[in-house]
Amino acid sequence: MNDDLCYKLNYLARLILSKVNEKIKPHGVTQGQLPVLCCLHDAEGQTQAELCKNIQVEQPTMANTLRRMERDGLIFRTASDKDKRQSRVYITERTRPTVKALQEKRDEVVAAMVRHMSPEDLATFTRLLDVATKALENPETE
């Protein structure tokens, strides 16, 4: 198994998520909620559909995540001015100062992961991840 690329990628992803979760848990946030907070920190007032697209998760997953986050007081929703059927999502004032600390904790995990990589190694690693992701997102049809 140790030579299997799928296994290695899966193990790395699980390790990253585990380490991030460990660091952000004291803030009352889970690793599944962190991308939502970061995305909203960059652009508040997104709709659920926009968050799904930007974070690359399915609607049911996002709906459950937002419901829990709203229940826990991390976010709130308001009706859209343009379409009352839609709601816009915002970070609560209580949560806002925490987002930067959460991002720093996430960045600590990434820094630990790449600490033995040269800048060239990191650039290559990032490029290859992008190539692999695009190949699966946009498979060529024959």
Side-chain angles (χ1 to χ4, degrees):
M1 286 298 277
N2 289 337
D3 291 333
D4 182 88
L5 183 58
C6 247
Y7 172 80
K8 286 182 179 212
L9 288 171
N10 186 28
Y11 180 64
L12 176 60
R14 288 190 342 250
L15 259 179
I16 292 167
L17 293 177
S18 172
K19 297 293 182 187
V20 168
N21 214 32
E22 199 175 283
K23 287 189 171 281
I24 67 174
K25 190 175 183 178
H27 295 279
V29 174
T30 66
Q31 52 84 16
Q33 297 168 335
L34 181 59
V36 174
L37 292 174
C38 291
C39 196
L40 289 172
H41 184 263
D42 291 343
E44 283 206 77
Q46 295 181 61
T47 64
Q48 181 173 315
E50 291 168 335
L51 287 167
C52 287
K53 181 180 177 216
N54 292 331
I55 297 171
Q56 300 170 323
V57 298
E58 299 295 321
Q59 282 278 8
T61 302
M62 182 59 68
N64 288 333
T65 299
L66 292 177
R67 198 171 14 262
R68 282 190 304 273
M69 291 177 77
E70 192 169 26
R71 177 200 69 202
D72 296 344
L74 299 171
I75 57 137
F76 68 95
R77 302 184 224 202
T78 61
S80 174
D81 292 337
K82 296 177 185 169
D83 183 348
K84 297 297 181 197
R85 295 170 298 174
Q86 287 186 332
S87 62
R88 301 261 169 208
V89 183
Y90 298 88
I91 299 171
T92 61
E93 289 305 316
R94 177 181 70 93
T95 305
R96 191 174 313 285
T98 308
V99 177
K100 187 143 179 72
L102 294 169
Q103 290 171 323
E104 289 170 0
K105 297 296 182 188
R106 176 205 57 206
D107 293 347
E108 288 173 14
V109 173
V110 173
M113 179 184 73
V114 301
R115 73 177 175 261
H116 298 296
M117 292 184 194
S118 69
E120 294 80 18
D121 289 341
L122 181 55
T124 300
F125 182 62
T126 302
R127 183 181 59 77
L128 292 174
L129 287 173
D130 290 343
V131 167
T133 301
K134 285 178 185 161
L136 292 177
E137 286 178 341
N138 307 308
E140 296 176 6
T141 57
E142 293 183 41

